[in-house]
Amino acid sequence: MAVRIKESELRLTRRVEDRSVDATASGTLRLPSELPDAASVVRWRALASVERLTPDPASGRVEAQGRVRVWVVYVAAGSEAPDPVGAVYGGRMDGELSYSAWLEIPPEGEAAAWQVDVTVRDVEGRFRPDGRSADVDAVLGVHFTGVASEQSRVVTQVLASPPDRVDASTANLRLKVVQGWATARINVEDARPMDVPGGGDRPLRVLDLRVQPLITGVEVRPGEAVVKGQLSYELLYAYQHQPAAQGSALDAGAPAEPAQEEATGGSGPAERQAPARAWHVDLASWTGQEGFESALAIDGIGQGSQVKAQASVTDASVRILGTEGVVSVSAQVEIRATATASQLVPVVAAIRADAASVEQRTVPVRVEAPAGEGRRTFTASTTVELPGGLPPIERIVWSGAGVDTITARPEPGRVHVSATATPWIYYLPYKAEPQSQGLHFASWPGALSIEQVLAIPDLRPEAEVRAQAGPMTAEVDLISRQTLEFTVSGTCQAEAETPVTQDVVAEAVLVRPSGSEPDPFIYLVVTQAGDTLWKLSRRYRTATQQILAANPDLEAYEETAQLPAGTRLFILRGA
């Protein structure tokens, strides 16, 4: 009989977990020694990082541990500033908070590889009576992703020559294999002179800071991925400007204080002129002069691999250099890269033989087939009112928005993405009185709704879709001193995979027809590559237990596990 059966090893990967859990981080932090005591808080914010990820199959859980760094914008106690803005300070608190989050490992995830991301959902704090120590609580979202990988041997080809005739039905498996992922941390430094009227020697104070990374390219090399990107900076700062006589050189170029008609959009005369301020607040935005680059080692990647990279800022600090009005920003950037490979593999689903006798073992194989990606830019708007208790607005100095939740619903040929976002502003109050708070922060949690439909051809409703929204820009129109309209722009993208279960022939063996020649009572067999107890039992028409009884050294092997090639065995003929 001239029948040739070809088997191949397939690496199959699939997600066994993709879920978020809540975590909290609480503790007592202190203001840096160079900052004055605090009287009240304008805003708390925080950045979080993952420091340790520990899968422990023995306890049945995977645990993530990390830290949280906290920044505060506040009003100083007992300030002698000539106007309310001069009492506002900002800085990173000394010390850090710690958190721990865990997830139960599903039964199929005992040997899974794990990745975790963390986001800060909310942060609140209360200064103690000393004005320097604060009790801070942060609420975090910790997202776990587990990917199980296994090697599976399947029949990929069956060939026969006359007079034997074998008919093999085939199927094409579209595989997306997660080859691996890697994480790296780098520190990026950047310095920039502030645009301070009257010269850089004016007193300068940093109030708040936001650093956002942007991936600009990924280069795949054998065994590594080189990720390139750049950072954008937004820095809220205050500077001192002493008013001089009208028309003097000192006053030239200073930002004019808006009259009422400028703030409200009206054309009537101002009720009164805003008082001259010794301190002014401004926002500086720029892109870093030098980008960042990091090489992440991922075994097995190379030509044909697709690598997707993400970056986040896990810590940032700023200092003012001398009296030249130059600020230096130091940011810790975490880069994560995931490498995948897509391939189309023909497999044998069933074998039918005429003259030849072929024993086959069929198993269901579950794979996550790539179903496509969608991407589009969006613009969304909402109108909000100032929360109760906040004073009316004179001037907005900084605005932004952040994504709260995002969900995706697959439909035939498209995916519907729904998200909520929180818009926010820093603003100066109208008719601020001496010794009152000179800078305010307001936010509207979940006030912005984003609904987008992304086209993904051939998408089916049973697909699994993961969606995300990129960094957003926010513009705000002041309709009145209490009413604002936000317009937010950004990019929404989704990636879809379809779970597919396909019956495949895991192994097959050619069996001599009974009676074609005398059968010996005992066989001396030398195992070949790919042999299993199942194959040997079918090939020699005996039971697996009989093989194990004659060869007790094989008791550690499961029926479908491959045996070491070159092993000598005694096999008794079955009854």
Side-chain angles (χ1 to χ4, degrees), residues 5 15 68 118 128 262:
I5 299 172
R15 282 182 172 83
V68 180
V118 59
R128 294 182 175 181
E262 293 175 325

Side-chain angles (χ1 to χ4, degrees), residues 135-224:
D135 298 315
V136 183
D137 303 302
V139 179
L140 312 170
V142 184
H143 190 90
F144 291 87
T145 302
V147 175
S149 177
E150 63 178 355
Q151 294 291 123
S152 181
R153 195 170 184 86
V154 299
V155 175
T156 55
Q157 192 177 44
V158 179
L159 300 174
S161 58
D164 296 317
R165 181 179 177 181
V166 176
D167 184 17
S169 59
T170 61
N172 289 322
L173 282 183
R174 185 175 295 275
L175 304 179
K176 180 180 180 181
V177 178
V178 179
Q179 296 176 296
W181 45 52
T183 302
R185 283 187 187 165
I186 58 175
N187 289 317
V188 182
E189 306 279 343
D190 194 84
R192 178 182 174 87
M194 294 293 99
D195 184 14
V196 178
D201 59 346
R202 302 292 176 141
L204 181 67
R205 185 184 301 161
V206 174
L207 304 180
D208 204 351
L209 169 70
R210 181 169 67 169
V211 185
Q212 295 192 96
L214 174 66
I215 301 297
T216 58
V218 179
E219 180 184 353
V220 179
R221 300 174 182 173
E224 69 175 10

Side-chain angles (χ1 to χ4, degrees), residues 21 34 43 121 126 156 195 236 394 402 542:
V21 299
E34 66 270 18
R43 182 193 187 189
R121 293 181 177 171
R126 300 157 301 282
T156 55
D195 184 14
L236 186 68
E394 177 185 309
T542 187

Side-chain angles (χ1 to χ4, degrees), residues 140-502:
L140 312 170
V142 184
H143 190 90
F144 291 87
T145 302
V147 175
S149 177
E150 63 178 355
Q151 294 291 123
S152 181
R153 195 170 184 86
V154 299
V155 175
T156 55
Q157 192 177 44
V158 179
L159 300 174
S161 58
D164 296 317
R165 181 179 177 181
V166 176
D167 184 17
S169 59
T170 61
N172 289 322
L173 282 183
R174 185 175 295 275
L175 304 179
K176 180 180 180 181
V177 178
V178 179
Q179 296 176 296
W181 45 52
T183 302
R185 283 187 187 165
I186 58 175
N187 289 317
V188 182
E189 306 279 343
D190 194 84
R192 178 182 174 87
M194 294 293 99
D195 184 14
V196 178
D201 59 346
R202 302 292 176 141
L204 181 67
R205 185 184 301 161
V206 174
L207 304 180
D208 204 351
L209 169 70
R210 181 169 67 169
V211 185
Q212 295 192 96
L214 174 66
I215 301 297
T216 58
V218 179
E219 180 184 353
V220 179
R221 300 174 182 173
E224 69 175 10
V226 180
V227 180
K228 301 177 182 179
Q230 58 184 186
L231 297 180
S232 63
Y233 302 84
E234 291 177 284
L235 187 142
L236 186 68
Y237 66 103
Y239 62 90
Q240 193 174 36
H241 173 70
Q242 297 293 345
Q246 187 174 4
S248 69
L250 180 62
D251 199 47
E257 294 299 327
Q260 183 187 13
E261 66 268 22
E262 293 175 325
T264 62
S267 57
E271 294 179 3
R272 68 176 177 90
Q273 221 29 54
R277 289 199 178 99
W279 284 86
H280 294 274
V281 177
D282 209 345
L283 179 70
S285 303
W286 73 95
T287 300
Q289 296 179 355
E290 296 184 4
F292 61 83
E293 180 177 315
S294 180
L296 287 75
I298 305 178
D299 291 338
I301 71 170
Q303 186 176 6
S305 298
Q306 297 91 42
V307 177
K308 292 186 176 181
Q310 294 179 313
S312 60
V313 174
T314 59
D315 195 9
S317 61
V318 61
R319 56 194 178 95
I320 300 172
L321 303 180
T323 60
E324 300 303 318
V326 176
V327 297
S328 175
V329 180
S330 176
Q332 184 182 79
V333 182
E334 183 173 281
I335 304 169
R336 300 177 299 278
T338 302
T340 61
S342 298
Q343 55 186 156
L344 193 64
V345 180
V347 296
V348 175
I351 303 173
R352 293 178 296 277
D354 289 344
S357 177
V358 177
E359 292 278 351
Q360 56 190 301
R361 181 173 65 86
T362 303
V363 298
V365 172
R366 184 180 184 273
V367 299
E368 294 174 345
E373 299 180 3
R375 179 187 180 95
R376 68 178 301 178
T377 57
F378 66 85
T379 300
S381 300
T382 188
T383 301
V384 296
E385 299 285 331
L386 269 181
L390 289 178
I393 299 171
E394 177 185 309
R395 180 166 68 93
I396 296 171
V397 294
W398 192 10
S399 62
V403 174
D404 297 323
T405 63
I406 186 166
T407 59
R409 185 178 74 250
E411 300 174 355
R414 64 182 188 175
V415 57
H416 191 113
V417 178
S418 301
T420 60
T422 294
W424 54 263
I425 60 169
Y426 276 106
Y427 74 96
L428 301 176
Y430 179 61
K431 293 184 179 180
E433 299 295 333
Q435 306 307 318
S436 66
Q437 185 168 315
L439 181 69
H440 289 266
F441 178 82
S443 66
W444 295 264
L448 194 66
S449 296
I450 302 168
E451 301 290 337
Q452 293 293 306
V453 176
L454 283 64
I456 302 181
D458 303 324
L459 185 67
R460 295 186 294 182
E462 63 268 24
E464 298 174 355
V465 181
R466 284 171 292 276
Q468 61 181 15
M472 298 185 296
T473 60
E475 296 181 357
V476 58
D477 290 330
L478 193 57
I479 298 175
S480 72
R481 297 195 186 278
Q482 298 280 352
T483 307
L484 309 89
E485 182 180 27
F486 281 92
T487 301
V488 174
S489 301
T491 302
C492 179
Q493 55 189 6
E495 181 180 4
E497 296 172 348
T498 302
V500 176
T501 301
Q502 173 67 53

